[in-house]
Amino acid sequence: MGNGAAATADLDMQLEKYRVELTGYCYRMLGSSFEAEDAVQDTMVRAWRSHDRFEGRSSLRSWLYRIATNVCLDMLSAGNKRARPMDLTESTPLARAALAPRPDNTWLEPMPDGRVLPAVEDPAEAAVAKESVRLAFMAVLQQLPPKQRAVLILREVLAWKASEVAELLGTTVASVNSALQRARATLAERDDAGARAAVSDPLDEQQQKLLERYVKAFEGYDMTALTALLHEDAIMTMPPFDLWLTGSADITGFMTTMGAACANSRLVPVEANGLPAFAQYKPDPDKGGYAPWAVQVLEISAGRIAGFHCFLDTQRWFPLFGLPLHLEGEADQVQQGV
């Protein structure tokens, strides 16, 4: 009994070592934070149940990725592609702005860095990992057929050899290379995948100062200051609403009309999708203090904010980021719990 319990504990520890990187893989495959965590849990359960049949012909890591890939491909067989608002509709002028929600499973979801980016010593490897969870890149991944998606992630992000990917997918090296070529062609067509997120890692001094100015302008609801920080063609999105706005005039116009209740908000820094992000709390007229309103993920390009993405389903996002669902006082007194 003692030996069995020890073996079980040892297997649990071995599997747990791979949780973060597997979550990152499943997140890139599925575009959903919660589906990714469900897929990893399913992977762990399947691995645990069938470990006695694991004969060690491949590494434990390769075996887990094979299980995770099958889980993801099964989940993707329904054909749902997660997207950003600008992948689904045309930009709406402020004069016609209306807030029409779509179901949760429509949207590409944000993810805390700590849940999908394992600690690595190689700065180049860390940079590739961060770039591969950025919203624009994730959106392109969702356009790929599931098997192409798996090939691209395994080859380009995780640096697997073509022969390893072929073995994992039960196919040939020629088939893997062909799928990779097609996936790269799709990426090349969608060349905005990195252009809107030119963020250095770690943030350089200019980017840090830009974020400090952004926090001051947003918390002060100073639209003149905010306009100076936004690209002329900056984009604002607000899932679950399919409305998206282009240009600093429409963005600040929205914030002072339909979004006027966000005045005097507090921003708490978080890390999401390899990008600068903030948890936004707005004044709570009922309880006092501040109520959660959005996880904001920012894209920076050429010294200005190019993308301003507000994920509004706070009952889901704030617990995922380890954030409280109410602030009593100033945001700078809150310690991030992730």
Side-chain angles (χ1 to χ4, degrees), residues 126-148:
V128 168
K130 272 197 169 185
E131 286 165 14
S132 69
V133 293
R134 289 181 179 162
L135 293 173
F137 184 80
M138 288 285 297
V140 180
L141 281 180
Q142 305 313 301
Q143 302 303 312
L144 299 173
K147 284 202 173 168
Q148 276 186 40

Side-chain angles (χ1 to χ4, degrees), residues 10 59 114 218 244 249 260 321:
D10 183 52
S59 69
F218 192 95
W244 62 284
F321 281 83

